[in-house]
Amino acid sequence: GKGLFATRNIHKGETIFLEKPVVSSQFLWNALYRYKACDHCLRALETAEENAQRLLGKSRRVLPHPEQCSIRKDLHQHCPHCQVAYCSTECRQSAFEQYHQVLCLGPSREDPKHPLNKLQEAW
């Protein structure tokens, strides 16, 4: 059969495979639940604990092992025109160069008559 087989010992935590997707997108219901993720690479922009607290409406909810979920909020960037969020300057620039300059809604983000908003509503 087909598969990935190791030809040497692999250490715990070692990266053994990297791949960039051809296309990636968040589910639209993520926006409904205000899930915070990079608009380019989909990396979380909030910790699991922050996510649970927001979804449960309980600001004192504590999850075990918070050290397993670190977020670098100091690196987060936003599109200056439409305010979509990115995890880093690199993601913001890559998104702009690859597609965001065409898809950026700018001030039309709240306009229900804009064609991109109509498409999102239809989905």
Side-chain angles (χ1 to χ4, degrees), residues 52-79:
Q53 290 169 348
R54 183 177 41 75
L55 290 173
L56 295 171
K58 297 179 179 179
S59 61
R60 293 184 178 189
R61 174 66 64 180
V62 177
L63 297 182
H65 310 291
E67 69 280 357
Q68 298 296 320
C69 189
S70 62
I71 302 292
R72 290 287 313 269
K73 292 183 180 186
D74 58 314
L75 298 178
H76 294 178
Q77 298 280 311
H78 290 84
C79 170

Side-chain angles (χ1 to χ4, degrees), residues 103 105 108 111-123:
L103 298 177
L105 290 170
S108 298
D111 178 5
K113 294 179 183 178
H114 190 281
L116 289 175
N117 288 331
K118 284 184 173 184
L119 177 62
Q120 184 172 341
E121 183 64 32
W123 281 345

